[in-house]
Amino acid sequence: MWENGARLAAIDWVDQALRAVYIVLLARYLGPETYGYWAYGVALYAMLVGVAGAGFDTLMPLRLGADKSNASGYLGITLGLRLCCFALVLIALVAYAFLVETDPLARTIILMLTPALVGRGLSLWARAALLAYEHTRGVMPIGMGLRAAEAGVGSGWPLSGGGLGGRVVIRSVFWVGGGLTGLLARNRCPPSTRPRFNGSAMRDLVRQ
């Protein structure tokens, strides 16, 4: 238990440290106006990731930590519900980009970050599912490996003269990679999980 807790704390500390350094470098080399566009797009999709999660990432470790009976079915329902929520927020995000956002560059950034929204949300789901089984080793590639790789590539891009568009692509590519890595890590640990779309079970989960 102590080993798992220490490993998880180390992952979070490294993640926060990398994020802080990364933000400083981006603000320095992108410039205030370009960084403003970047921060706007990232804040918008990050808010929708939270909306799509709706607190289920906290509920999963609590539920499975207390009772792992029918764990495969429960995880499948949470994954199916997460995917349904993603579909709704993606529709909302695209509608916002075309119907509300009037700045062409801001609209392009928002649309280019839609893959990152899905990837980040899936990686958070996988993280919660892995923590429910205390498989913190499976969290490490998501929390440390991919974050460090993104920080390195993403920092090197503006330093080498790259523009905002490439930086947005880097964010989306790495978060999609994080989502796929998380799903693979989750399915390496029994029970294997596939999304389930059961209306009554989803409603019961939402009521919790």
Side-chain angles (χ1 to χ4, degrees), residues 7-191:
R7 188 180 294 120
L8 185 60
I11 292 170
D12 289 338
W13 291 339
V14 170
D15 180 71
Q16 293 299 324
L18 289 171
R19 186 178 304 178
V21 173
Y22 189 28
I23 289 172
V24 171
L25 288 173
L26 284 180
R28 171 68 178 82
Y29 289 99
L30 288 179
E33 182 178 0
T34 304
Y35 181 78
Y37 278 107
W38 162 259
Y40 169 59
V42 169
L44 187 59
Y45 95 80
M47 177 190 70
L48 291 177
V49 168
V51 171
F56 300 131
D57 295 340
T58 304
L59 187 62
M60 276 197 292
L62 293 175
R63 159 66 169 79
L64 294 176
D67 180 13
K68 290 185 174 60
S69 62
N70 193 29
S72 179
Y74 179 80
L75 289 172
I77 290 297
T78 61
L79 181 56
L81 183 59
R82 173 63 63 91
L83 293 174
C84 290
C85 290
F86 279 149
L88 293 175
V89 297
L90 281 174
I91 292 170
L93 184 60
V94 172
Y96 175 84
F98 283 107
L99 301 177
V100 178
E101 183 53 65
T102 57
D103 187 307
L105 179 56
R107 181 186 303 122
T108 300
I109 291 169
I110 291 170
L111 294 174
M112 290 174 67
L113 283 170
T114 52
L117 187 156
V118 178
R120 184 172 183 180
L122 287 176
S123 71
L124 290 173
W125 175 89
R127 174 189 169 101
L130 288 165
L131 291 179
Y133 280 86
E134 299 184 7
H135 294 313
T136 53
R137 291 185 185 277
V139 178
M140 293 180 74
I142 309 170
M144 295 179 70
L146 284 169
R147 173 67 76 178
E150 186 199 351
V153 175
S155 299
W157 180 258
L159 289 173
S160 64
L164 179 60
R167 178 62 208 95
V168 174
V169 171
I170 290 169
R171 166 55 61 96
S172 289
V173 167
F174 273 97
W175 272 121
V176 169
L180 294 175
T181 301
L183 291 177
L184 289 173
R186 164 78 282 280
N187 280 320
R188 286 195 193 102
C189 307

Side-chain angles (χ1 to χ4, degrees), residues 73 76-77 80-81 84 195-205:
I77 290 297
L81 183 59
C84 290
R196 293 180 58 196
F197 301 95
N198 184 304
S200 61
M202 287 181 177
R203 285 193 297 271
D204 291 341
L205 184 60

